[in-house]
Amino acid sequence: MKKVVKFGGSSLASACQFQKAASIIRAEKSRRYVVPSAPGKRFDGDTKVTDMLYDCYETAVGGRDFDKKLDKIKARYMEIIEGLNLKLSLDQEFEQIHDFFKKGAGKNYAASRGEYLNGIIMAAYLGFPFIDAAQVIFFDADGNFDPEKTNNVLSARLAKTEYAVIPGFYGSLPGGEIKTFSRGGSDITGSIVARAAKADIYENWTDVSGFLVTDPHIVDDPEPIETITYRELRELAYMGASVLHDEAIFPVRSEGIPINIRNTNDPSAPGTMIVESTCKKPRYTITGIAGKKGFAAVNIEKDRMNSEVGFGRKVLSVFEDNGISFEHIPSGIDTMSVFVQQAEFEEKEQKVLAGIHRTVDPDYLEMESDLALIAVVGRGMRSTRGTAGRIFSALAHANINIRMIDQGSSELNIIIGVDGKDFEKAIRAIYDIFVVARL
Ligand code: ASP
């Protein structure tokens, strides 16, 4: 059994959190490759080291004095080192960082130092070899992640070392400069390492016990999700459920390696298993509910629209020409609506409206704003009758008007559009009917 374990920023924010992480790693010999994030927030209102680094670097490139800011960052690490009773000096590292900041080594380099230094501390604390991610994770000349080169080099390297710490979040460009993934990207590194190590499982340790059926800010203490498929997760993540970086599933998905989301502060909780597919029936008909506010709809009416070949394409080309992607396009015989993200749409709305008039000459055109979309996701829906019926009656009982319905062809999700003001109430009503009523 071989495991890759990634620890998020809050799991490594202080010496005490480091100790928890280390005892988790030491508890199983199979936890062989460790991917740390940079120190995150220790308490509400605290600043992540990554953000401190971005800020410090900006000061440096602005030609201002950045010594104080860099000292503060160093103090965060020293607090951890001292708390762990480690004999480790980062003086040389910080001198080099200072020099590189002065030389303008780039934002990516700056941000990457967060995980780099945390990796050095973690390796010293565990007694594991340290592998600099710049030597094993590669991006191409366009700045895109290079999966094949990375996998070749990294797997060869891991074959030579039974245990290692590999910092998350960054790698290098062909010329050797540092490049980071997008924010939260240590999740991706963990997945890349799991693939290269041919791990049996990728454990992603964070500060929650996995995915919850819905947002705890909306429903009190929602039930955890035990097992979720990659496809379900994609649907929920797109609609705002965030625990794991969006891109993190791809490297392991192609190898069939499951991801287990676990809680560093509650290691006995089983967390959530993310798998390719499973025979396990979900506990409830639905796996999760997620949603987002801030959508607008453009409603277009034209007599005999349905017999006009190319009507939809022409309408959508107007959105495309304006660089706006659409979310959903529910349609009727003589009507068609296009759902878009309001923030993106607002600045271009008049151009789009004019474009639609010009291209399809509608009888009537209307816009609605402040809509919310809710995704009810579940692999169990396919084989269960009446799921949509239950959603609609739950919403009707809660006095919520449904503005749009869309069921994907995969029958994995039902998307419902409601007024923004009904958003939370609608999620609660759906949660109640599927989860609370079943408990
Ligand atoms: N430290 C980076 C961030 O704050 C990457 C990560 O934690 O995954 O985004």
Side-chain angles (χ1 to χ4, degrees):
M1 182 76 146
K2 210 189 287 175
K3 292 183 176 179
V4 169
V5 289
K6 180 258 169 182
F7 287 86
S10 56
S11 302
L12 301 173
S14 63
C16 161
Q17 290 299 89
F18 253 79
Q19 279 159 350
K20 288 186 199 168
S23 62
I24 289 166
I25 298 162
R26 289 184 186 123
E28 283 186 31
K29 282 210 150 18
S30 57
R31 294 190 172 124
R32 291 178 31 184
Y33 301 115
V34 181
V35 176
S37 276
K41 295 184 184 183
R42 292 159 295 180
F43 44 82
D44 263 0
D46 195 16
T47 311
K48 287 171 131 195
V49 164
T50 309
D51 292 314
M52 296 169 85
L53 284 161
Y54 279 126
D55 177 54
C56 178
Y57 183 70
E58 219 169 89
T59 310
V61 285
R64 280 167 283 142
D65 182 10
F66 62 95
D67 289 4
K68 272 213 188 80
K69 289 189 174 172
L70 198 58
D71 283 348
K72 266 196 169 167
I73 296 170
K74 189 172 179 189
R76 287 285 308 260
Y77 288 103
M78 292 321 290
E79 189 188 295
I80 296 173
I81 291 176
E82 279 155 22
L84 297 176
N85 278 323
L86 275 178
K87 300 255 160 315
L88 178 70
S89 163
L90 294 180
D91 291 350
Q92 265 188 9
E93 299 291 350
F94 271 93
E95 265 166 43
Q96 192 178 41
I97 293 171
H98 192 275
D99 278 0
F100 275 54
F101 273 31
K102 248 194 167 147
K103 276 194 234 150
K107 243 175 114 171
N108 282 255
Y109 166 80
S112 75
R113 296 306 87 185
E115 350 295 280
Y116 171 79
L117 296 168
N118 234 15
I120 291 179
I121 300 177
M122 184 54 113
Y125 190 46
L126 292 170
F128 284 14
F130 172 79
I131 300 179
D132 185 353
Q135 295 171 5
V136 288
I137 305 243
F138 303 105
F139 293 84
D140 64 20
D142 298 326
N144 298 316
F145 171 59
D146 185 339
E148 290 327 309
K149 182 175 173 195
T150 299
N151 201 48
N152 291 338
V153 175
L154 183 56
S155 54
R157 183 71 180 263
L158 296 182
K160 284 191 248 148
T161 167
E162 231 187 315
Y163 293 89
V165 173
I166 307 125
F169 193 37
Y170 71 94
S172 58
L173 289 159
E177 308 90 342
I178 298 289
K179 161 105 182 105
T180 62
F181 292 106
S182 57
R183 294 300 303 264
S186 298
D187 284 342
I188 309 176
T189 309
S191 184
I192 293 167
V193 175
R195 176 185 174 204
K198 296 207 168 25
D200 297 285
I201 192 162
Y202 166 25
E203 288 180 348
N204 186 296
W205 291 83
T206 176
D207 52 8
V208 288
S209 296
F211 283 89
L212 301 171
V213 171
T214 194
D215 185 347
H217 300 108
I218 299 177
V219 169
D220 281 343
D221 214 6
E223 290 289 301
I225 298 175
E226 285 164 20
T227 308
I228 187 169
T229 65
Y230 290 127
R231 289 165 74 215
E232 290 174 310
L233 179 63
R234 292 275 301 153
E235 301 279 355
L236 288 172
Y238 183 69
M239 274 304 200
S242 67
V243 171
L244 191 70
H245 192 293
D246 272 4
E247 302 286 316
I249 62 172
F250 297 114
V252 284
R253 184 178 184 167
S254 62
E255 302 286 317
I257 301 168
I259 306 175
N260 188 195
I261 307 284
R262 300 284 292 266
N263 189 348
T264 305
N265 303 317
D266 185 9
S268 59
T272 299
M273 270 294 194
I274 309 169
V275 296
E276 173 71 53
S277 74
T278 175
C279 303
K280 274 197 204 146
K281 288 241 156 33
R283 220 163 133 203
Y284 315 102
T285 310
I286 59 158
T287 303
I289 313 160
K292 273 196 215 163
K293 288 184 181 177
F295 291 96
V298 180
N299 303 324
I300 304 155
E301 246 183 74
K302 186 174 185 183
D303 278 346
R304 287 185 290 281
M305 156 193 306
N306 72 328
S307 55
E308 192 177 323
V309 176
F311 188 91
R313 179 184 52 75
K314 286 181 204 153
V315 169
L316 292 181
S317 70
V318 176
F319 287 85
E320 185 181 346
D321 293 345
N322 284 285
I324 295 170
S325 71
F326 70 90
E327 303 287 323
H328 295 279
I329 30 174
S331 62
I333 300 285
D334 295 327
T335 61
M336 168 176 175
S337 299
V338 183
F339 275 68
V340 289
Q341 298 202 14
Q342 198 162 320
E344 187 185 65
F345 178 65
E346 253 162 15
E347 41 185 294
K348 305 208 176 126
E349 67 174 19
Q350 294 310 318
K351 272 177 130 178
V352 172
L353 294 196
I356 294 174
H357 274 293
R358 223 176 304 123
T359 21
V360 293
D361 187 24
D363 297 333
Y364 182 66
L365 195 60
E366 169 203 57
M367 275 192 310
E368 285 178 277
S369 55
D370 298 322
L371 297 169
L373 293 176
I374 297 169
V376 185
V377 176
R379 58 189 184 279
M381 287 184 343
R382 210 178 185 151
S383 52
T384 317
R385 260 180 300 134
T387 311
R390 284 168 71 196
I391 297 175
F392 303 145
S393 67
L395 294 178
H397 275 107
N399 262 326
I400 294 166
N401 189 18
I402 300 177
R403 310 296 304 271
M404 197 259 324
I405 305 158
D406 189 355
Q407 176 169 34
S409 57
S410 58
E411 284 186 59
L412 195 66
N413 63 353
I414 296 177
I415 311 275
I416 300 138
V418 297
D419 282 339
K421 67 172 173 42
D422 290 330
F423 177 65
E424 285 85 3
K425 199 159 81 165
I427 289 190
R428 272 183 228 121
I430 299 169
Y431 182 83
D432 282 352
I433 192 95
F434 286 103
V435 180
V436 179
R438 293 279 134 153
L439 281 176

